[in-house]
Amino acid sequence: MGLWLAAAMVDQRGVEIRFQLRASKQSESFFHSLLAGCAGYRRRDCSAVARVKYSAASGDLADGVSTFLALLAIVPSAVLIYLVQQFNFLQIGRQKNLMYAVSVTVLALLYLALVRRVSTWLAPEIPPEASAAVLLFVLVIFIEPLQRMLGRRLQETAQRETDRVQR
């Protein structure tokens, strides 16, 4: 599986380089070059996971590399959010509600993956259900101030958009 994934990353890197060369804007070119670079790292790490998985080496190394692969996805996502906000990349920069919803969804998925991974790491000492419950409760404590702040911003954005449409 890891070798097929590595082969797919080589193909993705070629496609991203072609997109980079044909990009009309500098921001698009930068984004595609970043994706090509990340595909190179992912290809290398997928190959490493496959080698470690099928060798007699410990599973901790494979877990570390797979964690790095998961975290590597944050870099292009953060750059995509930046480009959307600064340069109206993909023409969705004006839709603030959509940007907030997508960002919150991605962060929620990352947090759930973190909860699952930490629960697995703490499984010998604490039951996974207990550690997951504690981590999810911690999220509830920190989400209330964030919800108030985002609620105000979304309300202001909705009011501005409504005023703009009514004019």
Side-chain angles (χ1 to χ4, degrees):
M1 163 113 169
L3 295 177
W4 284 108
L5 191 56
M9 293 299 151
V10 169
D11 186 45
Q12 180 202 0
R13 188 171 184 175
V15 168
E16 293 299 337
I17 289 172
R18 272 187 271 149
F19 284 164
Q20 176 195 4
L21 295 174
R22 293 183 180 156
S24 60
K25 296 180 182 175
Q26 184 181 4
S27 60
E28 292 175 6
S29 176
F30 171 72
F31 181 68
H32 290 299
S33 66
L34 177 79
L35 285 181
C38 286
Y41 281 114
R42 286 192 303 259
R43 180 205 47 83
R44 184 196 66 196
D45 293 335
C46 288
S47 300
V49 167
R51 283 192 304 272
V52 168
K53 186 176 179 182
Y54 296 116
S55 71
S58 94
D60 291 338
L61 182 61
D63 286 343
V65 173
S66 65
T67 301
F68 176 74
L69 281 172
L71 293 177
L72 190 62
I74 294 174
V75 174
S77 300
V79 170
L80 179 61
I81 290 170
Y82 171 75
L83 291 174
V84 164
Q85 287 181 338
Q86 287 298 110
F87 303 110
N88 197 20
F89 190 64
L90 302 177
Q91 285 77 38
I92 60 172
R94 306 258 185 249
Q95 302 172 10
K96 297 284 187 198
N97 293 343
L98 177 63
M99 287 177 36
Y100 289 137
V102 169
S103 299
V104 167
T105 302
V106 168
L107 288 175
L109 290 173
L110 285 173
Y111 189 76
L112 288 175
L114 174 77
V115 166
R116 187 178 130 274
R117 187 148 312 226
V118 169
S119 296
T120 304
W121 288 338
L122 296 176
E125 290 82 19
I126 302 171
E129 296 83 12
S131 59
V134 168
L135 288 171
L136 291 174
F137 182 71
V138 166
L139 179 67
V140 170
I141 292 171
F142 290 114
I143 202 75
E144 180 61 31
L146 184 65
Q147 180 187 11
R148 271 190 253 127
M149 181 189 72
L150 285 178
R152 281 191 302 252
R153 290 184 104 187
L154 288 174
Q155 183 69 27
E156 290 169 2
T157 303
Q159 186 64 40
R160 243 190 342 262
E161 291 296 318
T162 304
D163 292 343
R164 186 179 62 86
V165 167
Q166 289 179 351
R167 288 182 195 164

